[in-house]
Amino acid sequence: MFKDLFQKKRKYATIPSERLERTGGPVEGERPKREIPEGLMSKCSKCGTIQYSKELEKNLKVCPSCGYHMRLNASERVAITLDPEGFIEFDSEMTSVDPLEFPGYATKLEQQQLKTGQPDAVITGQGSIEGQPVIVAVMNFEFFTGSMGSVVGEKITRAIEEATERRLPLLIFSTSGGARMQESILSLMQMAKTSAALARFSEVGGLYISIITDPTTGGVSASFASLGDIIIAEPGAVFGFAGRIVIEQTIRQKLPDDFQTAEFNLQHGQLDLVVHRKEMRATLSKLLDLHNVKGGV
């Protein structure tokens, strides 16, 4: 009863009046500032267009003005890609034990878990796309910039092995800043482990579709993200190993403005397709159907 009487006060964002900014002072009869509920509006980081957050979500977080594909977290990606019923998550409680006792790492892990509501930077499981069963791994850039530590590598490896055993197609949505430095060599070892698992999956004729989202760099791009039978990327997604600044300083040359974008990689043979987010689910369904992958053995 009492919680209905004392509800938490809503947060508001303050937007200065345009006339107040122009004149340098308040105008008679005009409110000096306008307040809107926090989170009601969203601003495109590319073109600056301000729009209602709910409308942006309905548009799958793609800016209607410039087409910029904003980042999705792993849960959002699962929701818009897989059929709404029947998703079974694997290894949902697996977390890092701070194997090297890196200073401050345990605290940062706890902070990331509280912020995202996820134990680590990837969700794995079994679901379906238009009734066609698949094994999926979806990385989450919100958790430690999607960095690959031992838990990420282990969960993805287990997902690959599950796809191998069940003879199901495998989809991995990659987004990462690279290997997680707090786990040092244990993090780098995941590159070899996931790649070896994919080699075994390929030997039994498994179909692996790698989907690149913004950004996918470092050890992830140098291992499982680049090993797909079919490699797809969202428009504008950055895909490469080292960053632009590092490369420019190394070769002492100015790189093209679109360097490492999905479109640049497609032009140079690194990708097979660049697919708009609204068309991704339908495209994946067609690819699964084309390969006649209807279920396990």
Side-chain angles (χ1 to χ4, degrees):
M1 177 187 296
F2 292 106
K3 69 177 182 180
D4 296 328
L5 297 176
F6 301 100
Q7 293 183 1
K8 185 178 179 180
K9 185 177 179 181
R10 297 184 68 181
K11 293 183 179 181
Y12 288 84
T14 301
I15 301 180
S17 167
E18 294 179 1
R19 291 189 64 187
L20 180 63
E21 289 181 341
R22 288 198 304 268
T23 61
V27 178
E28 185 177 352
E30 181 179 351
R31 294 177 63 188
K33 59 185 178 181
R34 294 169 293 177
E35 295 180 339
I36 60 173
E38 186 179 38
L40 179 66
M41 309 296 289
S42 296
K43 181 179 180 180
C44 176
S45 58
K46 184 175 182 180
C47 70
T49 299
I50 297 177
Q51 52 215 305
Y52 286 107
S53 298
K54 288 186 177 179
E55 292 300 315
L56 185 62
E57 290 175 3
K58 290 180 182 178
N59 205 43
L60 305 184
K61 289 192 174 180
V62 177
C63 177
S65 297
C66 68
Y68 176 66
H69 283 50
M70 302 178 189
R71 291 171 186 164
L72 297 174
N73 61 40
S75 298
E76 291 170 330
R77 184 76 63 179
V78 168
I80 70 170
T81 305
L82 301 180
D83 295 338
E85 301 295 335
F87 177 68
I88 303 172
E89 186 175 353
F90 302 152
D91 306 307
S92 60
E93 303 300 322
M94 187 182 293
T95 59
S96 176
V97 294
D98 187 15
L100 303 181
E101 298 183 355
F102 192 93
Y105 182 41
T107 300
K108 289 182 179 179
L109 276 175
E110 184 178 353
Q111 292 171 347
Q112 294 292 313
Q113 291 164 353
L114 290 172
K115 183 184 77 171
T116 63
Q118 298 293 334
D120 216 290
V122 68
I123 291 177
T124 59
Q126 179 178 345
S128 61
I129 298 178
E130 297 187 1
Q132 301 180 90
V134 291
I135 301 295
V136 297
V138 184
M139 299 192 71
N140 187 3
F141 196 80
E142 290 183 356
F143 192 105
F144 250 132
T145 65
S147 54
M148 179 172 63
S150 53
V151 167
V152 170
E154 179 65 17
K155 290 183 70 171
I156 289 177
T157 299
R158 291 189 183 190
I160 298 169
E161 291 172 344
E162 197 73 24
T164 304
E165 181 179 345
R166 300 190 188 188
R167 298 296 196 270
L168 291 177
L170 172 71
L171 310 180
I172 300 181
F173 289 82
S174 298
T175 177
S176 178
R180 191 172 299 174
M181 70 172 189
Q182 290 89 346
E183 296 187 21
S184 189
I185 190 63
L186 297 178
S187 178
L188 297 176
M189 288 168 60
Q190 308 310 310
M191 298 171 61
K193 183 166 73 174
T194 54
S195 298
L198 284 171
R200 292 190 291 271
F201 181 61
S202 179
E203 288 174 359
V204 300
L207 171 64
Y208 168 36
I209 303 176
S210 175
I211 303 97
I212 308 300
T213 67
D214 183 64
T216 299
T217 60
V220 169
S221 70
S223 55
F224 60 82
S226 297
L227 296 176
D229 299 302
I230 302 171
I231 305 178
I232 303 173
E234 288 189 331
V238 171
F239 179 38
F241 184 67
R244 168 189 288 271
I245 295 176
V246 173
I247 297 173
E248 287 183 335
Q249 289 177 345
T250 301
I251 66 175
R252 299 182 182 181
Q253 293 181 27
K254 177 69 176 176
L255 295 169
D257 292 338
D258 64 345
F259 180 69
Q260 290 185 328
T261 63
E263 293 75 13
F264 181 91
N265 280 297
L266 178 65
Q267 183 182 357
H268 290 80
Q270 187 71 15
L271 300 174
D272 297 302
L273 293 169
V274 175
V275 179
H276 194 284
R277 186 173 293 166
K278 289 184 177 180
E279 300 171 356
M280 184 66 73
R281 176 178 157 87
T283 299
L284 292 173
S285 178
K286 289 178 182 177
L287 289 172
L288 293 171
D289 188 58
L290 177 65
H291 286 77
N292 198 28
V293 183
K294 296 295 184 182
V297 176

Coordinates of all heavy atoms in Angstrom, one line a residue, residues 115-199:
K115 N 26.1 -4.3 -14.1 CA 25.7 -3.3 -15.1 C 24.9 -4.0 -16.2 O 23.9 -3.4 -16.7 CB 26.9 -2.6 -15.7 CG 26.6 -1.6 -16.8 CD 27.8 -1.0 -17.4 CE 28.4 -1.9 -18.4 NZ 29.5 -1.3 -19.2
T116 N 25.3 -5.2 -16.7 CA 24.7 -5.8 -17.8 C 23.6 -6.9 -17.5 O 22.8 -7.2 -18.3 CB 25.7 -6.5 -18.7 OG1 26.4 -7.5 -18.0 CG2 26.8 -5.4 -19.2
G117 N 23.7 -7.4 -16.2 CA 22.8 -8.5 -15.9 C 23.3 -9.8 -16.5 O 22.5 -10.8 -16.5
Q118 N 24.5 -9.9 -17.0 CA 25.0 -11.1 -17.6 C 26.3 -11.5 -16.9 O 27.1 -10.7 -16.4 CB 25.3 -10.8 -19.1 CG 24.1 -10.5 -19.9 CD 23.1 -11.6 -20.1 OE1 23.5 -12.8 -20.0 NE2 21.8 -11.3 -20.3
P119 N 26.6 -12.8 -16.8 CA 27.8 -13.3 -16.1 C 29.1 -13.0 -16.9 O 30.1 -12.9 -16.3 CB 27.5 -14.8 -16.0 CG 26.6 -15.1 -17.1 CD 25.7 -13.9 -17.3
D120 N 29.0 -12.9 -18.3 CA 30.2 -12.6 -19.1 C 29.7 -12.1 -20.4 O 28.5 -11.8 -20.6 CB 31.1 -13.8 -19.2 CG 32.6 -13.5 -19.2 OD1 33.0 -12.8 -20.2 OD2 33.3 -13.7 -18.2
A121 N 30.7 -12.0 -21.4 CA 30.4 -11.3 -22.6 C 29.8 -12.1 -23.7 O 29.9 -11.7 -24.9 CB 31.7 -10.7 -23.1
V122 N 29.2 -13.2 -23.5 CA 28.6 -14.0 -24.5 C 27.4 -14.8 -24.0 O 27.4 -15.2 -22.8 CB 29.6 -15.0 -25.2 CG1 30.0 -16.1 -24.3 CG2 29.0 -15.5 -26.5
I123 N 26.4 -14.9 -24.8 CA 25.2 -15.8 -24.5 C 25.2 -16.9 -25.6 O 25.4 -16.6 -26.8 CB 23.9 -15.0 -24.6 CG1 23.8 -14.1 -23.4 CG2 22.7 -16.0 -24.6 CD1 22.5 -13.2 -23.5
T124 N 25.1 -18.1 -25.1 CA 25.0 -19.3 -26.1 C 23.8 -20.1 -25.8 O 23.3 -20.1 -24.7 CB 26.3 -20.2 -25.9 OG1 26.4 -20.7 -24.6 CG2 27.6 -19.4 -26.2
G125 N 23.3 -20.8 -26.8 CA 22.2 -21.6 -26.6 C 21.6 -22.2 -27.9 O 22.2 -22.1 -29.0
Q126 N 20.5 -22.9 -27.8 CA 19.8 -23.4 -28.9 C 18.5 -22.8 -29.1 O 17.7 -22.5 -28.2 CB 19.6 -25.0 -28.8 CG 18.9 -25.6 -30.0 CD 18.7 -27.1 -29.9 OE1 19.3 -27.7 -29.0 NE2 17.8 -27.7 -30.7
G127 N 18.2 -22.4 -30.4 CA 16.9 -21.8 -30.7 C 16.5 -22.2 -32.1 O 17.0 -23.2 -32.6
S128 N 15.7 -21.4 -32.7 CA 15.3 -21.7 -34.1 C 15.0 -20.4 -34.8 O 14.7 -19.3 -34.2 CB 14.0 -22.5 -34.1 OG 12.9 -21.9 -33.5
I129 N 15.1 -20.4 -36.2 CA 14.8 -19.3 -37.0 C 13.8 -19.7 -38.0 O 14.1 -20.6 -38.9 CB 16.0 -18.7 -37.7 CG1 17.1 -18.2 -36.7 CG2 15.7 -17.6 -38.7 CD1 18.3 -17.7 -37.3
E130 N 12.6 -19.2 -37.9 CA 11.4 -19.7 -38.7 C 11.3 -21.2 -38.7 O 11.2 -21.9 -39.8 CB 11.6 -19.1 -40.2 CG 11.5 -17.6 -40.2 CD 11.5 -17.1 -41.6 OE1 11.5 -17.9 -42.6 OE2 11.5 -15.8 -41.8
G131 N 11.5 -21.7 -37.5 CA 11.3 -23.2 -37.3 C 12.5 -24.0 -37.6 O 12.4 -25.2 -37.3
Q132 N 13.6 -23.4 -38.1 CA 14.8 -24.2 -38.4 C 15.7 -24.1 -37.2 O 16.2 -23.1 -36.8 CB 15.4 -23.7 -39.6 CG 14.5 -23.7 -40.8 CD 15.2 -23.2 -42.1 OE1 15.8 -23.9 -42.8 NE2 15.0 -21.9 -42.3
P133 N 16.0 -25.3 -36.5 CA 16.9 -25.2 -35.3 C 18.3 -24.8 -35.6 O 18.9 -25.2 -36.6 CB 16.8 -26.7 -34.8 CG 16.5 -27.5 -36.0 CD 15.6 -26.6 -36.9
V134 N 18.9 -24.1 -34.6 CA 20.2 -23.6 -34.8 C 20.9 -23.5 -33.4 O 20.2 -23.4 -32.4 CB 20.3 -22.2 -35.4 CG1 19.9 -22.2 -36.9 CG2 19.5 -21.2 -34.6
I135 N 22.2 -23.6 -33.3 CA 23.0 -23.3 -32.1 C 23.6 -21.9 -32.3 O 24.1 -21.6 -33.4 CB 24.1 -24.3 -31.9 CG1 23.6 -25.7 -31.8 CG2 25.0 -23.9 -30.7 CD1 22.7 -26.0 -30.6
V136 N 23.4 -21.1 -31.3 CA 23.9 -19.7 -31.5 C 24.8 -19.3 -30.3 O 24.7 -19.8 -29.2 CB 22.7 -18.7 -31.5 CG1 21.8 -18.9 -32.7 CG2 21.9 -18.7 -30.2
A137 N 25.7 -18.3 -30.7 CA 26.5 -17.7 -29.7 C 26.5 -16.2 -30.0 O 26.7 -15.8 -31.2 CB 28.0 -18.2 -29.7
V138 N 26.1 -15.4 -29.1 CA 25.9 -13.9 -29.3 C 26.8 -13.1 -28.3 O 26.5 -13.2 -27.1 CB 24.4 -13.5 -29.1 CG1 24.2 -12.0 -29.5 CG2 23.5 -14.4 -30.0
M139 N 27.7 -12.4 -28.8 CA 28.6 -11.6 -27.9 C 28.0 -10.3 -27.6 O 27.1 -9.8 -28.3 CB 30.0 -11.4 -28.6 CG 30.7 -12.7 -29.0 SD 32.4 -12.5 -29.4 CE 33.1 -12.0 -27.8
N140 N 28.4 -9.8 -26.4 CA 27.8 -8.6 -25.9 C 28.9 -7.5 -25.6 O 29.8 -7.7 -24.7 CB 27.2 -8.9 -24.5 CG 26.4 -7.7 -24.0 OD1 26.3 -6.7 -24.6 ND2 25.8 -7.9 -22.8
F141 N 28.9 -6.4 -26.5 CA 30.0 -5.4 -26.3 C 29.8 -4.6 -25.0 O 30.8 -4.0 -24.6 CB 29.9 -4.5 -27.5 CG 31.1 -3.6 -27.7 CD1 32.3 -4.1 -28.3 CD2 31.1 -2.3 -27.3 CE1 33.4 -3.3 -28.4 CE2 32.3 -1.5 -27.4 CZ 33.4 -2.0 -28.0
E142 N 28.6 -4.6 -24.5 CA 28.4 -3.9 -23.2 C 29.2 -4.5 -22.1 O 29.5 -3.8 -21.1 CB 26.9 -3.8 -22.9 CG 26.1 -3.0 -23.8 CD 24.6 -2.9 -23.4 OE1 24.3 -3.6 -22.4 OE2 23.9 -2.2 -24.0
F143 N 29.6 -5.7 -22.1 CA 30.3 -6.4 -21.1 C 31.8 -6.4 -21.4 O 32.2 -7.1 -22.3 CB 29.8 -7.8 -20.9 CG 30.3 -8.5 -19.6 CD1 29.5 -8.7 -18.6 CD2 31.6 -8.9 -19.5 CE1 29.9 -9.3 -17.4 CE2 32.1 -9.5 -18.4 CZ 31.2 -9.7 -17.3
F144 N 32.5 -5.5 -20.8 CA 34.0 -5.4 -21.0 C 34.4 -5.3 -22.4 O 35.3 -5.9 -22.9 CB 34.7 -6.7 -20.4 CG 35.5 -6.4 -19.1 CD1 35.3 -7.2 -18.0 CD2 36.4 -5.4 -19.1 CE1 36.1 -7.0 -16.9 CE2 37.2 -5.2 -18.0 CZ 37.0 -6.0 -16.9
T145 N 33.6 -4.5 -23.2 CA 33.8 -4.3 -24.6 C 33.9 -5.6 -25.4 O 34.6 -5.7 -26.4 CB 35.1 -3.4 -24.9 OG1 36.2 -4.2 -24.5 CG2 35.0 -2.1 -24.2
G146 N 33.1 -6.6 -24.9 CA 33.0 -7.9 -25.6 C 34.3 -8.6 -25.6 O 34.6 -9.5 -26.5
S147 N 35.2 -8.3 -24.7 CA 36.6 -8.9 -24.7 C 36.4 -10.4 -24.5 O 35.6 -10.9 -23.7 CB 37.5 -8.3 -23.7 OG 36.9 -8.3 -22.4
M148 N 37.3 -11.2 -25.1 CA 37.3 -12.6 -25.0 C 38.3 -13.1 -23.9 O 39.5 -13.0 -24.1 CB 37.7 -13.3 -26.3 CG 37.7 -14.8 -26.3 SD 37.9 -15.6 -27.9 CE 39.5 -15.0 -28.4
G149 N 37.7 -13.6 -22.8 CA 38.5 -14.3 -21.8 C 38.3 -15.8 -21.9 O 37.7 -16.3 -22.8
S150 N 38.7 -16.5 -20.8 CA 38.5 -17.9 -20.8 C 37.1 -18.4 -20.8 O 36.8 -19.4 -21.4 CB 39.3 -18.5 -19.6 OG 38.9 -17.9 -18.4
V151 N 36.2 -17.6 -20.2 CA 34.8 -18.0 -20.1 C 34.2 -17.8 -21.5 O 33.4 -18.7 -22.0 CB 34.0 -17.1 -19.1 CG1 32.5 -17.3 -19.3 CG2 34.4 -17.6 -17.7
V152 N 34.4 -16.7 -22.2 CA 33.9 -16.5 -23.5 C 34.4 -17.7 -24.5 O 33.6 -18.3 -25.2 CB 34.3 -15.2 -24.1 CG1 34.0 -15.1 -25.6 CG2 33.6 -14.0 -23.3
G153 N 35.7 -17.9 -24.4 CA 36.2 -19.0 -25.3 C 35.6 -20.4 -24.9 O 35.3 -21.1 -25.9
E154 N 35.4 -20.7 -23.7 CA 34.9 -22.0 -23.3 C 33.4 -22.1 -23.7 O 33.0 -23.1 -24.2 CB 35.0 -22.1 -21.7 CG 34.5 -23.4 -21.2 CD 35.2 -24.7 -21.7 OE1 36.3 -24.5 -22.2 OE2 34.6 -25.8 -21.6
K155 N 32.6 -21.0 -23.5 CA 31.2 -21.1 -23.8 C 31.0 -21.3 -25.3 O 30.2 -22.0 -25.8 CB 30.5 -19.9 -23.3 CG 30.3 -19.8 -21.8 CD 29.5 -18.6 -21.3 CE 28.1 -18.7 -21.7 NZ 27.3 -17.7 -21.0
I156 N 31.8 -20.5 -26.1 CA 31.7 -20.7 -27.6 C 32.2 -22.0 -28.0 O 31.6 -22.7 -28.9 CB 32.5 -19.5 -28.2 CG1 31.8 -18.2 -28.0 CG2 32.7 -19.8 -29.7 CD1 32.6 -17.0 -28.6
T157 N 33.2 -22.5 -27.4 CA 33.7 -23.9 -27.8 C 32.7 -24.9 -27.5 O 32.4 -25.8 -28.3 CB 35.0 -24.2 -27.0 OG1 36.0 -23.3 -27.4 CG2 35.5 -25.6 -27.3
R158 N 32.0 -24.8 -26.3 CA 31.0 -25.8 -25.9 C 29.8 -25.7 -26.9 O 29.2 -26.7 -27.3 CB 30.5 -25.5 -24.5 CG 31.5 -25.9 -23.5 CD 30.9 -25.8 -22.1 NE 31.9 -26.1 -21.0 CZ 31.6 -26.3 -19.7 NH1 30.3 -26.2 -19.4 NH2 32.5 -26.5 -18.8
A159 N 29.5 -24.5 -27.3 CA 28.4 -24.3 -28.3 C 28.7 -25.0 -29.6 O 27.9 -25.6 -30.3 CB 28.1 -22.8 -28.5
I160 N 30.0 -24.8 -30.1 CA 30.5 -25.5 -31.3 C 30.4 -27.0 -31.2 O 29.9 -27.7 -32.1 CB 31.9 -25.0 -31.6 CG1 32.0 -23.5 -31.9 CG2 32.4 -25.8 -32.9 CD1 33.4 -23.0 -31.9
E161 N 30.8 -27.5 -30.0 CA 30.8 -28.9 -29.8 C 29.3 -29.5 -29.7 O 29.0 -30.6 -30.2 CB 31.5 -29.3 -28.5 CG 33.0 -29.1 -28.6 CD 33.7 -29.2 -27.3 OE1 33.1 -29.2 -26.2 OE2 35.0 -29.3 -27.3
E162 N 28.4 -28.6 -29.2 CA 27.0 -29.0 -29.2 C 26.4 -29.1 -30.6 O 25.7 -30.0 -30.9 CB 26.2 -28.0 -28.3 CG 24.9 -28.5 -27.9 CD 24.9 -29.5 -26.8 OE1 25.9 -29.5 -26.1 OE2 23.9 -30.3 -26.7
A163 N 26.8 -28.1 -31.4 CA 26.4 -28.1 -32.8 C 27.0 -29.3 -33.6 O 26.3 -29.9 -34.4 CB 26.8 -26.8 -33.5
T164 N 28.2 -29.7 -33.2 CA 28.8 -30.9 -33.9 C 28.1 -32.1 -33.5 O 27.8 -33.0 -34.4 CB 30.3 -31.0 -33.4 OG1 31.0 -29.7 -33.7 CG2 31.0 -32.1 -34.1
E165 N 27.8 -32.3 -32.2 CA 27.1 -33.5 -31.8 C 25.7 -33.6 -32.3 O 25.3 -34.7 -32.7 CB 27.1 -33.5 -30.2 CG 26.4 -34.7 -29.6 CD 26.5 -34.7 -28.1 OE1 27.2 -33.9 -27.5 OE2 25.7 -35.5 -27.5
R166 N 25.0 -32.5 -32.3 CA 23.6 -32.6 -32.8 C 23.4 -32.4 -34.3 O 22.3 -32.4 -34.8 CB 22.8 -31.5 -32.0 CG 22.8 -31.6 -30.5 CD 21.8 -30.7 -29.9 NE 21.9 -30.7 -28.4 CZ 21.1 -30.0 -27.6 NH1 20.1 -29.4 -28.1 NH2 21.3 -30.1 -26.3
R167 N 24.5 -32.1 -35.0 CA 24.5 -31.9 -36.4 C 23.5 -30.7 -36.8 O 22.7 -30.8 -37.7 CB 24.0 -33.1 -37.2 CG 24.9 -34.3 -37.0 CD 26.3 -34.1 -37.6 NE 27.1 -35.3 -37.8 CZ 27.9 -35.8 -36.9 NH1 28.0 -35.2 -35.7 NH2 28.5 -36.9 -37.1
L168 N 23.7 -29.6 -36.0 CA 22.9 -28.4 -36.2 C 23.8 -27.3 -36.8 O 25.0 -27.3 -36.5 CB 22.2 -28.0 -34.9 CG 21.1 -28.9 -34.4 CD1 20.6 -28.3 -33.0 CD2 20.0 -29.0 -35.3
P169 N 23.2 -26.4 -37.5 CA 24.0 -25.3 -38.0 C 24.4 -24.3 -36.8 O 23.7 -24.3 -35.8 CB 23.0 -24.5 -39.0 CG 21.7 -25.0 -38.6 CD 21.8 -26.4 -38.1
L170 N 25.4 -23.6 -37.0 CA 26.0 -22.8 -36.0 C 26.0 -21.3 -36.5 O 26.5 -21.0 -37.6 CB 27.4 -23.2 -35.6 CG 28.2 -22.3 -34.7 CD1 27.7 -22.4 -33.3 CD2 29.7 -22.8 -34.7
L171 N 25.5 -20.4 -35.6 CA 25.5 -19.0 -35.9 C 26.3 -18.3 -34.7 O 26.0 -18.6 -33.6 CB 24.1 -18.4 -36.0 CG 23.1 -19.0 -36.9 CD1 21.8 -18.2 -36.8 CD2 23.6 -19.1 -38.3
I172 N 27.3 -17.5 -35.1 CA 28.0 -16.7 -34.0 C 27.9 -15.2 -34.4 O 28.4 -14.9 -35.5 CB 29.4 -17.2 -33.9 CG1 29.5 -18.6 -33.5 CG2 30.1 -16.3 -32.8 CD1 31.0 -19.1 -33.2
F173 N 27.3 -14.4 -33.6 CA 27.3 -13.0 -33.7 C 28.5 -12.4 -32.9 O 28.5 -12.5 -31.7 CB 26.0 -12.4 -33.2 CG 24.8 -12.7 -34.1 CD1 24.1 -13.9 -33.9 CD2 24.3 -11.8 -35.0 CE1 23.0 -14.2 -34.7 CE2 23.2 -12.1 -35.8 CZ 22.6 -13.3 -35.6
S174 N 29.4 -11.9 -33.6 CA 30.7 -11.4 -33.0 C 30.6 -9.8 -32.8 O 30.2 -9.1 -33.7 CB 31.9 -11.7 -33.8 OG 32.0 -13.1 -33.9
T175 N 31.1 -9.4 -31.7 CA 31.4 -8.0 -31.4 C 32.4 -8.0 -30.3 O 32.2 -8.6 -29.2 CB 30.2 -7.2 -31.1 OG1 30.6 -5.8 -30.8 CG2 29.4 -7.7 -29.9
S176 N 33.6 -7.4 -30.5 CA 34.6 -7.5 -29.5 C 35.7 -6.5 -29.7 O 36.0 -6.1 -30.8 CB 35.2 -8.9 -29.5 OG 36.3 -9.0 -28.6
G177 N 36.3 -6.1 -28.5 CA 37.5 -5.2 -28.6 C 38.8 -6.0 -28.6 O 39.8 -5.5 -28.7
G178 N 38.6 -7.4 -28.5 CA 39.8 -8.2 -28.6 C 39.9 -9.2 -27.4 O 39.0 -9.4 -26.7
A179 N 41.1 -9.7 -27.2 CA 41.4 -10.6 -26.1 C 41.4 -9.8 -24.8 O 41.8 -8.6 -24.7 CB 42.7 -11.3 -26.3
R180 N 41.0 -10.4 -23.7 CA 40.9 -9.7 -22.4 C 42.3 -9.8 -21.7 O 42.7 -10.8 -21.3 CB 39.8 -10.4 -21.5 CG 39.5 -9.6 -20.2 CD 38.3 -10.2 -19.5 NE 37.1 -10.2 -20.3 CZ 36.0 -10.8 -20.0 NH1 35.9 -11.4 -18.8 NH2 34.9 -10.7 -20.8
M181 N 42.9 -8.6 -21.6 CA 44.3 -8.6 -21.1 C 44.4 -9.1 -19.7 O 45.5 -9.5 -19.3 CB 44.8 -7.2 -21.2 CG 44.2 -6.2 -20.3 SD 45.1 -4.6 -20.3 CE 44.4 -3.8 -18.9
Q182 N 43.4 -9.0 -18.9 CA 43.4 -9.4 -17.4 C 43.6 -10.9 -17.3 O 43.9 -11.4 -16.2 CB 42.2 -8.9 -16.7 CG 42.1 -7.5 -16.4 CD 41.4 -6.7 -17.6 OE1 41.2 -7.3 -18.7 NE2 41.0 -5.5 -17.4
E183 N 43.4 -11.6 -18.4 CA 43.6 -13.1 -18.4 C 44.8 -13.5 -19.2 O 45.0 -14.7 -19.4 CB 42.3 -13.8 -18.8 CG 41.2 -13.5 -17.8 CD 40.0 -14.4 -18.1 OE1 40.1 -15.4 -18.8 OE2 38.9 -14.0 -17.7
S184 N 45.5 -12.5 -19.8 CA 46.8 -12.8 -20.5 C 46.8 -14.0 -21.4 O 45.9 -14.1 -22.3 CB 47.9 -12.9 -19.4 OG 49.2 -12.9 -20.0
I185 N 47.7 -14.9 -21.3 CA 47.9 -16.0 -22.2 C 46.6 -16.9 -22.2 O 46.3 -17.5 -23.2 CB 49.1 -16.8 -21.9 CG1 49.4 -17.8 -23.0 CG2 49.0 -17.5 -20.5 CD1 49.7 -17.2 -24.3
L186 N 45.9 -17.0 -21.1 CA 44.7 -17.8 -21.0 C 43.7 -17.3 -22.0 O 42.9 -18.0 -22.5 CB 44.2 -17.8 -19.6 CG 45.1 -18.5 -18.5 CD1 44.5 -18.4 -17.2 CD2 45.4 -19.9 -18.9
S187 N 43.6 -15.9 -22.1 CA 42.7 -15.3 -23.1 C 43.1 -15.6 -24.5 O 42.3 -16.0 -25.4 CB 42.7 -13.8 -22.9 OG 41.8 -13.2 -23.8
L188 N 44.4 -15.5 -24.8 CA 44.9 -15.7 -26.2 C 44.7 -17.2 -26.6 O 44.5 -17.5 -27.8 CB 46.4 -15.3 -26.3 CG 46.7 -13.9 -26.0 CD1 48.2 -13.6 -26.1 CD2 46.0 -13.0 -27.1
M189 N 44.8 -18.1 -25.6 CA 44.6 -19.5 -25.9 C 43.2 -19.8 -26.5 O 43.1 -20.9 -27.2 CB 44.9 -20.4 -24.6 CG 46.3 -20.4 -24.2 SD 46.5 -21.1 -22.5 CE 45.8 -22.7 -22.7
Q190 N 42.3 -19.0 -26.2 CA 40.9 -19.2 -26.7 C 40.8 -19.1 -28.2 O 39.9 -19.7 -28.8 CB 39.9 -18.2 -26.0 CG 40.0 -18.2 -24.5 CD 39.9 -19.6 -23.9 OE1 39.1 -20.4 -24.2 NE2 40.9 -19.8 -22.9
M191 N 41.7 -18.4 -28.8 CA 41.8 -18.3 -30.3 C 42.0 -19.7 -30.9 O 41.3 -20.1 -31.8 CB 42.8 -17.3 -30.7 CG 42.6 -15.9 -30.2 SD 44.1 -14.8 -30.6 CE 44.2 -14.9 -32.4
A192 N 43.0 -20.4 -30.3 CA 43.3 -21.7 -30.9 C 42.2 -22.7 -30.5 O 41.9 -23.6 -31.3 CB 44.6 -22.2 -30.3
K193 N 41.7 -22.6 -29.3 CA 40.7 -23.6 -28.8 C 39.4 -23.5 -29.7 O 38.9 -24.5 -30.1 CB 40.4 -23.4 -27.4 CG 39.4 -24.4 -26.8 CD 39.3 -24.3 -25.3 CE 38.6 -23.1 -24.8 NZ 38.5 -23.2 -23.3
T194 N 38.9 -22.3 -29.9 CA 37.7 -22.1 -30.7 C 37.9 -22.5 -32.2 O 37.1 -23.1 -32.8 CB 37.2 -20.7 -30.6 OG1 38.2 -19.8 -31.0 CG2 36.7 -20.3 -29.2
S195 N 39.1 -22.2 -32.7 CA 39.4 -22.5 -34.1 C 39.5 -24.0 -34.3 O 39.1 -24.6 -35.3 CB 40.7 -21.9 -34.5 OG 40.6 -20.5 -34.4
A196 N 40.1 -24.8 -33.3 CA 40.2 -26.2 -33.4 C 38.8 -26.9 -33.3 O 38.5 -27.8 -34.0 CB 41.1 -26.7 -32.2
A197 N 37.9 -26.3 -32.5 CA 36.6 -26.8 -32.4 C 35.8 -26.6 -33.7 O 35.1 -27.5 -34.1 CB 35.8 -26.2 -31.2
L198 N 36.1 -25.5 -34.3 CA 35.4 -25.2 -35.6 C 36.0 -26.1 -36.7 O 35.2 -26.6 -37.6 CB 35.6 -23.8 -36.0 CG 34.8 -22.7 -35.3 CD1 35.2 -21.3 -35.6 CD2 33.3 -22.9 -35.7
A199 N 37.2 -26.5 -36.6 CA 37.8 -27.4 -37.6 C 37.1 -28.8 -37.5 O 36.8 -29.4 -38.5 CB 39.3 -27.6 -37.4

